[in-house]
Amino acid sequence: MKKMLAANHTRQSLSPSLPQPPSLPAEHFNILLRRRHLLTTTAFTISFNFNVPFTTSLSTSEPVAGARGLFQMPPPRLTNRYFLVRAGESEFESMGVINTNPVTKTSVDSGLSKRGKKEAIRAAFGLKEMGACEKNCWIWPAITQRAYQTAEIIASVNGVTRSYIVPEYSFLDARGLGAYEGQKLESVSQVYESDGISPNIKPPPIDDGTPNESVADVFVRVTQLMSILETQYSGDTVIIVSPDSDNLTILLAGLIGLDLRRHRDLAFAPGEVRFVDTKDIPKYKQPASAVYKCSNPPKCY
């Protein structure tokens, strides 16, 4: 018996001593229980909140917001109301010289002439009489000097702060006339003769950096501009200020569904203002593919 007790004593002394868990006071134990309950509740709340958007978005009972999609010409509808303004006469135009090179669009010579300033003031008061900015408005001018100066005059007369002038850097550039750059304004008639044949005919090119744009090229630019405006604003008034007439005539032709070869029929004089009346936009017709229904699939004839 003594040998067994001695062996047990020796075995206990050789085995490593394991720490025993300390006994917690009752108040500490209750605190741990409360923390565990709090963590469990929070985790449940977080997981529940993360699931809410998915449940809502997938619910078939909720109405789905209508997407506007890609802008079409002519458009099914316009979200905003628009005023189109051609900038006043520039210094180049007062000298009877064609200037469409984007390199010079911010130069002083591209700014308003004395006559152009009067035309811009007349445009500004015309917009005021039309109530364009009664409920606030956004002014989108080309960064071209004469267009931006016209926009500043419009803002001043109509009580619009500078923060509502949004300069446009590329889509509203004056139409590039290529080899006609620097020639007399009268030679533009040759460009319009080509436009009347096809919207895809470009003016002759030149190597000084002036683009040579067809009507179709400008049409792409102004359609992109309208895509931005119709997406960025909703129910607002937007005043588009272009440095030349062609941007506006091609835009307006697209909106009302006029053959682009006839865009010149809608010519804007310097400082002229026009309201885009939605009544002039033709009623949208769905394509046959959207209306046609197959009565006996897969045989649909």
Side-chain angles (χ1 to χ4, degrees):
M1 188 66 168
K2 291 181 179 180
K3 290 182 179 180
M4 291 178 62
L5 291 173
N8 288 337
H9 178 73
T10 305
R11 201 179 296 118
Q12 289 177 2
S13 62
L14 293 174
S15 63
S17 58
L18 298 175
Q20 299 297 320
S23 58
L24 294 175
E27 55 180 344
H28 288 185
F29 184 73
N30 291 334
I31 291 173
L32 287 176
L33 283 179
R34 285 199 298 271
R35 286 180 180 175
R36 182 177 181 183
H37 176 72
L38 180 61
L39 288 172
T40 305
T41 306
T42 306
F44 173 77
T45 306
I46 293 173
S47 63
F48 176 77
N49 288 338
F50 270 96
N51 289 331
V52 169
F54 293 98
T55 305
T56 305
S57 61
L58 295 176
S59 175
T60 55
S61 60
E62 293 293 332
V64 180
R68 300 181 197 175
L70 207 60
F71 189 80
Q72 303 175 34
M73 287 282 202
R77 66 186 178 92
L78 287 176
T79 304
N80 306 299
R81 74 174 182 153
Y82 295 92
F83 291 86
L84 307 181
V85 181
R86 179 180 174 181
E89 179 190 69
S90 70
E91 292 287 356
F92 277 110
E93 289 172 326
S94 69
M95 296 183 288
V97 176
I98 296 175
N99 174 248
T100 61
N101 192 323
V103 174
T104 62
K105 62 185 178 183
T106 58
S107 70
V108 176
D109 290 334
S110 290
L112 294 172
S113 64
K114 290 183 179 180
R115 181 179 178 180
K117 292 175 182 177
K118 293 179 181 178
E119 291 167 342
I121 293 171
R122 186 166 62 247
F125 278 102
L127 286 165
K128 189 171 185 178
E129 290 177 5
M130 299 167 76
C133 296
E134 283 182 355
K135 297 181 180 179
N136 215 344
C137 63
W138 295 92
I139 305 175
W140 274 63
I143 197 61
T144 305
Q145 191 79 338
R146 61 183 177 274
Y148 197 83
Q149 288 177 347
T150 300
E152 288 183 317
I153 293 172
I154 291 172
S156 177
V157 171
N158 288 271
V160 178
T161 60
R162 189 177 291 271
S163 59
Y164 282 85
I165 301 178
V166 185
E168 212 301 306
Y169 288 87
S170 58
F171 294 143
L172 278 175
D173 281 353
R175 179 185 177 185
L177 297 181
Y180 290 96
E181 183 74 3
Q183 295 189 21
K184 294 183 178 180
L185 283 175
E186 291 79 10
S187 59
V188 177
S189 60
Q190 300 174 34
V191 177
Y192 295 138
E193 287 178 8
S194 299
D195 290 351
I197 298 171
S198 170
N200 297 311
I201 299 177
K202 297 175 178 284
I206 193 172
D207 59 1
D208 69 346
T210 304
N212 58 322
E213 295 183 296
S214 66
V215 172
D217 293 331
V218 178
F219 180 74
V220 170
R221 286 201 281 110
V222 295
T223 301
Q224 290 172 324
L225 173 69
M226 291 301 295
S227 297
I228 294 172
L229 295 175
E230 284 290 283
T231 303
Q232 186 165 333
Y233 305 114
S234 180
D236 292 323
T237 297
V238 181
I239 300 172
I240 298 174
V241 185
S242 170
D244 66 350
S245 175
D246 285 4
N247 280 335
L248 301 179
T249 57
I250 295 169
L251 169 59
L252 192 54
L255 291 174
I256 66 176
L258 181 68
D259 189 329
L260 291 178
R261 292 174 297 180
R262 296 180 52 197
H263 77 94
R264 184 60 182 165
D265 296 347
L266 306 172
F268 282 68
E272 185 174 352
V273 178
R274 291 186 205 170
F275 171 62
V276 178
D277 194 342
T278 53
K279 294 178 182 178
D280 296 331
I281 298 175
K283 188 176 180 181
Y284 176 71
K285 293 182 180 180
Q286 287 186 322
S289 59
V291 179
Y292 178 75
K293 293 182 179 180
C294 179
S295 58
N296 186 27
K299 296 181 180 180
C300 300
Y301 52 86

